[in-house]
């Protein structure tokens, strides 16, 4: 059964971004309606030309960074959008603080979204935070 | 005419093989057969889980010399 899966990405570390991207891509490709709210230190990774080399938190992150065969979190988020119609929603507050507009983001990123809108759309679904 | 295709996702980690399969499934027609090759240990259980959940058909699933060979028929 399709369900609503809401993912809040706020931490800019490799492990958290990777786990969020894995869940988003698999859930979206399985038919879930996936929305990913991007804010705080996770948001800059979705800016055009920004480094994808997120700092690691610990042992697993270090191992993942060394392995060639681990799909990058950016590719997984793109696949969530392309293969499963996931939405990547940048937090409008964080965009104001960073003084950026929608044009500054990679093409897979959706419209600027406020918390009120995100929470109201998320009603009744699952909510995961990374 | 139904096609048969090999999706070689060896040496990638979860969810790489699954996403590679899904990408190829999208480009295939109903009735086509895809054979996924994966060295990711979890694929043997996880890929059939996805296939069944989404409603396609597992034709065979076996591990040969450390490589999972999972044959799937696109059912819809």
């Amino acid at each position: 059964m399709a369900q609503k899966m809401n993912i809040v990405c706020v931490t800019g570390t490799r492990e958290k971004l990777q786990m969020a991207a894995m869940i988003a891509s698999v859930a979206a490709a399985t038919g879930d309606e996936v929305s990913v709210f991007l804010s705080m230190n996770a948001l800059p990774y979705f800016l055009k030309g920004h480094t994808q080399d997120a700092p690691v938190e610990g042992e697993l992150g270090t191992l993942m960074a060394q392995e060639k065969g681990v799909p990058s979190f950016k590719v997984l988020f793109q696949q969530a959008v392309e293969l499963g119609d996931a939405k990547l929603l940048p937090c409008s507050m964080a965009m104001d603080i960073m003084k950026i507009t929608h044009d500054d983001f990679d093409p897979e990123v959706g419209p600027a979204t406020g918390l009120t809108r995100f929470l109201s759309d998320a009603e009744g679904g699952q909510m995961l935070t990374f | 005419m139904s096609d048969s295709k090999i999706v070689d996702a060896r040496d990638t980690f979860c969810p790489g093989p699954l996403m590679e399969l899904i990408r190829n499934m999208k480009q295939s027609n109903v009735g086509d057969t895809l054979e996924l090759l994966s060295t990711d240990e979890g694929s043997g259980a996880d890929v059939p889980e996805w296939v069944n959940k989404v409603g396609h058909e597992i034709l065979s699933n076996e591990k040969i010399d450390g490589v999972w060979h999972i044959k799937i028929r696109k059912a819809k």
Side-chain angles (χ1 to χ4, degrees):
Chain A
M1 270 302 284
Q3 55 176 346
K4 270 202 280 188
M5 168 83 73
N6 303 285
I7 299 173
V8 180
C9 263
V10 286
T11 311
T13 58
R14 189 175 290 254
E15 290 91 332
K16 291 232 165 63
L17 288 163
Q18 187 75 19
M19 198 67 230
M22 288 167 72
I23 292 179
S25 57
V26 173
T30 310
D32 287 352
E33 196 184 308
V34 176
S35 296
V36 185
F37 190 68
L38 305 166
S39 189
M40 302 299 173
N41 299 322
L43 186 62
Y45 292 98
F46 295 85
L47 289 168
K48 282 177 193 155
H50 193 278
T51 177
Q52 299 308 314
D53 198 12
V56 303
E57 291 178 338
E59 196 174 338
L60 257 289
T62 306
L63 284 172
M64 273 192 327
Q66 290 164 355
E67 285 284 359
K68 293 260 180 301
V70 176
S72 82
F73 64 84
K74 274 308 279 284
V75 166
L76 289 173
F77 277 126
Q78 283 161 3
Q79 289 177 334
V81 173
E82 283 162 20
L83 302 176
D85 295 323
K87 296 191 195 92
L88 305 181
L89 305 170
C91 166
S92 52
M93 177 283 287
M95 290 173 67
D96 284 348
I97 301 258
M98 293 179 75
K99 298 182 172 54
I100 52 176
T101 68
H102 188 259
D103 292 343
D104 297 313
F105 287 118
D106 289 327
E108 67 270 20
V109 176
T113 302
L115 254 189
T116 312
R117 175 64 192 273
F118 176 71
L119 289 176
S120 113
D121 287 350
E123 213 172 278
Q126 291 201 60
M127 178 85 80
L128 303 175
T129 303
F130 292 90
Chain B
M1 273 295 287
S2 54
D3 278 341
S4 181
K5 187 177 190 181
I6 289 190
V7 179
D8 189 349
R10 285 176 292 178
D11 300 323
T12 65
F13 291 88
C14 169
L18 179 64
M19 299 313 290
E20 201 51 33
L21 172 69
I22 293 169
R23 198 170 60 75
N24 279 277
M25 286 287 255
K26 287 236 165 188
Q27 296 162 355
S28 303
N29 299 310
V30 172
D32 287 357
T33 304
L34 291 96
E35 180 173 354
L36 177 69
L37 308 184
S38 174
T39 47
D40 175 61
E41 200 48 52
S43 292
D46 223 32
V47 170
E49 174 76 22
W50 178 83
V51 170
N52 291 325
K53 187 168 183 187
V54 176
H56 299 298
E57 190 185 342
I58 294 282
L59 301 175
S60 62
N61 182 13
E62 55 184 340
K63 194 178 181 185
I64 305 165
D65 296 332
V67 180
W68 286 101
H69 293 249
I70 309 170
K71 268 192 195 157
I72 300 124
R73 194 176 69 84
K74 180 166 171 152
K76 58 177 196 179

